[in-house]
mmCIF file of all heavy atoms in Angstrom:
data_model
loop_
_atom_site.group_PDB
_atom_site.id
_atom_site.type_symbol
_atom_site.label_atom_id
_atom_site.label_comp_id
_atom_site.label_asym_id
_atom_site.label_seq_id
_atom_site.Cartn_x
_atom_site.Cartn_y
_atom_site.Cartn_z
ATOM 1 N N ASP D 120 133.627 154.258 -8.630
ATOM 2 C CA ASP D 120 133.594 152.821 -8.343
ATOM 3 C C ASP D 120 132.635 152.429 -7.229
ATOM 4 O O ASP D 120 132.152 151.308 -7.201
ATOM 5 C CB ASP D 120 135.006 152.330 -7.992
ATOM 6 C CG ASP D 120 135.908 152.265 -9.212
ATOM 7 O OD1 ASP D 120 135.568 151.532 -10.155
ATOM 8 O OD2 ASP D 120 136.934 152.961 -9.239
ATOM 9 N N TYR D 121 132.365 153.331 -6.262
ATOM 10 C CA TYR D 121 131.449 152.948 -5.185
ATOM 11 C C TYR D 121 129.999 153.314 -5.477
ATOM 12 O O TYR D 121 129.084 152.836 -4.792
ATOM 13 C CB TYR D 121 131.878 153.528 -3.835
ATOM 14 C CG TYR D 121 131.766 155.027 -3.655
ATOM 15 C CD1 TYR D 121 130.542 155.689 -3.740
ATOM 16 C CD2 TYR D 121 132.891 155.788 -3.344
ATOM 17 C CE1 TYR D 121 130.441 157.065 -3.533
ATOM 18 C CE2 TYR D 121 132.807 157.169 -3.144
ATOM 19 C CZ TYR D 121 131.574 157.792 -3.239
ATOM 20 O OH TYR D 121 131.483 159.143 -3.034
ATOM 21 N N SER D 122 129.740 154.134 -6.487
ATOM 22 C CA SER D 122 128.368 154.539 -6.790
ATOM 23 C C SER D 122 127.589 153.383 -7.396
ATOM 24 O O SER D 122 128.134 152.534 -8.115
ATOM 25 C CB SER D 122 128.363 155.723 -7.755
ATOM 26 O OG SER D 122 128.987 156.847 -7.175
ATOM 27 N N LYS D 123 126.298 153.372 -7.126
ATOM 28 C CA LYS D 123 125.439 152.297 -7.622
ATOM 29 C C LYS D 123 125.470 152.235 -9.142
ATOM 30 O O LYS D 123 125.347 153.244 -9.826
ATOM 31 C CB LYS D 123 124.007 152.526 -7.128
ATOM 32 C CG LYS D 123 123.042 151.396 -7.462
ATOM 33 C CD LYS D 123 121.695 151.632 -6.806
ATOM 34 C CE LYS D 123 120.739 150.487 -7.063
ATOM 35 N NZ LYS D 123 119.442 150.681 -6.367
ATOM 36 N N ASN D 124 125.649 151.025 -9.654
ATOM 37 C CA ASN D 124 125.646 150.752 -11.093
ATOM 38 C C ASN D 124 126.740 151.506 -11.845
ATOM 39 O O ASN D 124 126.564 151.908 -13.003
ATOM 40 C CB ASN D 124 124.277 151.055 -11.702
ATOM 41 C CG ASN D 124 123.203 150.110 -11.196
ATOM 42 O OD1 ASN D 124 123.493 148.971 -10.824
ATOM 43 N ND2 ASN D 124 121.969 150.570 -11.145
ATOM 44 N N LYS D 125 127.882 151.684 -11.177
ATOM 45 C CA LYS D 125 129.048 152.274 -11.812
ATOM 46 C C LYS D 125 130.293 151.470 -11.451
ATOM 47 O O LYS D 125 130.369 150.859 -10.392
ATOM 48 C CB LYS D 125 129.249 153.729 -11.367
ATOM 49 C CG LYS D 125 128.230 154.706 -11.915
ATOM 50 C CD LYS D 125 128.613 156.137 -11.541
ATOM 51 C CE LYS D 125 127.644 157.148 -12.130
ATOM 52 N NZ LYS D 125 128.027 158.549 -11.792
ATOM 53 N N GLY D 126 131.291 151.513 -12.324
ATOM 54 C CA GLY D 126 132.624 151.006 -12.040
ATOM 55 C C GLY D 126 132.666 149.638 -11.385
ATOM 56 O O GLY D 126 131.987 148.692 -11.804
ATOM 57 N N GLU D 127 133.496 149.528 -10.353
ATOM 58 C CA GLU D 127 133.713 148.250 -9.683
ATOM 59 C C GLU D 127 132.435 147.718 -9.039
ATOM 60 O O GLU D 127 132.215 146.503 -9.000
ATOM 61 C CB GLU D 127 134.832 148.393 -8.652
ATOM 62 C CG GLU D 127 136.195 148.636 -9.286
ATOM 63 C CD GLU D 127 137.284 148.960 -8.283
ATOM 64 O OE1 GLU D 127 137.074 148.751 -7.074
ATOM 65 O OE2 GLU D 127 138.364 149.442 -8.703
ATOM 66 N N SER D 128 131.595 148.606 -8.535
ATOM 67 C CA SER D 128 130.328 148.161 -7.929
ATOM 68 C C SER D 128 129.475 147.404 -8.936
ATOM 69 O O SER D 128 128.922 146.337 -8.628
ATOM 70 C CB SER D 128 129.544 149.355 -7.384
ATOM 71 O OG SER D 128 130.219 149.961 -6.319
ATOM 72 N N LEU D 129 129.357 147.945 -10.139
ATOM 73 C CA LEU D 129 128.548 147.279 -11.164
ATOM 74 C C LEU D 129 129.197 145.972 -11.611
ATOM 75 O O LEU D 129 128.494 144.980 -11.838
ATOM 76 C CB LEU D 129 128.335 148.213 -12.360
ATOM 77 C CG LEU D 129 127.473 147.645 -13.496
ATOM 78 C CD1 LEU D 129 126.102 147.216 -12.977
ATOM 79 C CD2 LEU D 129 127.321 148.667 -14.625
ATOM 80 N N SER D 130 130.521 145.970 -11.708
ATOM 81 C CA SER D 130 131.205 144.721 -12.074
ATOM 82 C C SER D 130 130.911 143.624 -11.058
ATOM 83 O O SER D 130 130.591 142.489 -11.430
ATOM 84 C CB SER D 130 132.717 144.962 -12.172
ATOM 85 O OG SER D 130 133.041 145.813 -13.242
ATOM 86 N N ILE D 131 131.023 143.955 -9.783
ATOM 87 C CA ILE D 131 130.766 142.961 -8.732
ATOM 88 C C ILE D 131 129.310 142.523 -8.744
ATOM 89 O O ILE D 131 128.997 141.337 -8.627
ATOM 90 C CB ILE D 131 131.162 143.523 -7.351
ATOM 91 C CG1 ILE D 131 132.674 143.775 -7.294
ATOM 92 C CG2 ILE D 131 130.746 142.567 -6.237
ATOM 93 C CD1 ILE D 131 133.121 144.545 -6.072
ATOM 94 N N LYS D 132 128.404 143.484 -8.913
ATOM 95 C CA LYS D 132 126.981 143.139 -8.981
ATOM 96 C C LYS D 132 126.712 142.183 -10.136
ATOM 97 O O LYS D 132 125.988 141.183 -9.980
ATOM 98 C CB LYS D 132 126.135 144.398 -9.144
ATOM 99 C CG LYS D 132 124.642 144.111 -9.302
ATOM 100 C CD LYS D 132 123.914 145.278 -9.921
ATOM 101 C CE LYS D 132 122.477 144.910 -10.251
ATOM 102 N NZ LYS D 132 121.792 145.960 -11.022
ATOM 103 N N ASN D 133 127.300 142.472 -11.312
ATOM 104 C CA ASN D 133 127.066 141.613 -12.475
ATOM 105 C C ASN D 133 127.668 140.229 -12.282
ATOM 106 O O ASN D 133 127.104 139.226 -12.738
ATOM 107 C CB ASN D 133 127.630 142.273 -13.734
ATOM 108 C CG ASN D 133 126.792 143.460 -14.187
ATOM 109 O OD1 ASN D 133 125.642 143.605 -13.778
ATOM 110 N ND2 ASN D 133 127.362 144.308 -15.024
ATOM 111 N N MET D 134 128.821 140.158 -11.611
ATOM 112 C CA MET D 134 129.396 138.856 -11.279
ATOM 113 C C MET D 134 128.427 138.049 -10.417
ATOM 114 O O MET D 134 128.200 136.855 -10.651
ATOM 115 C CB MET D 134 130.707 139.043 -10.510
ATOM 116 C CG MET D 134 131.853 139.606 -11.301
ATOM 117 S SD MET D 134 133.255 139.946 -10.186
ATOM 118 C CE MET D 134 134.456 140.621 -11.331
#
Side-chain angles (χ1 to χ4, degrees):
D120 287 301
Y121 69 61
S122 298
K123 186 174 183 177
N124 294 332
K125 289 186 177 181
E127 292 172 14
S128 294
L129 181 57
S130 293
I131 295 170
K132 177 200 172 188
N133 288 343
M134 291 173 181

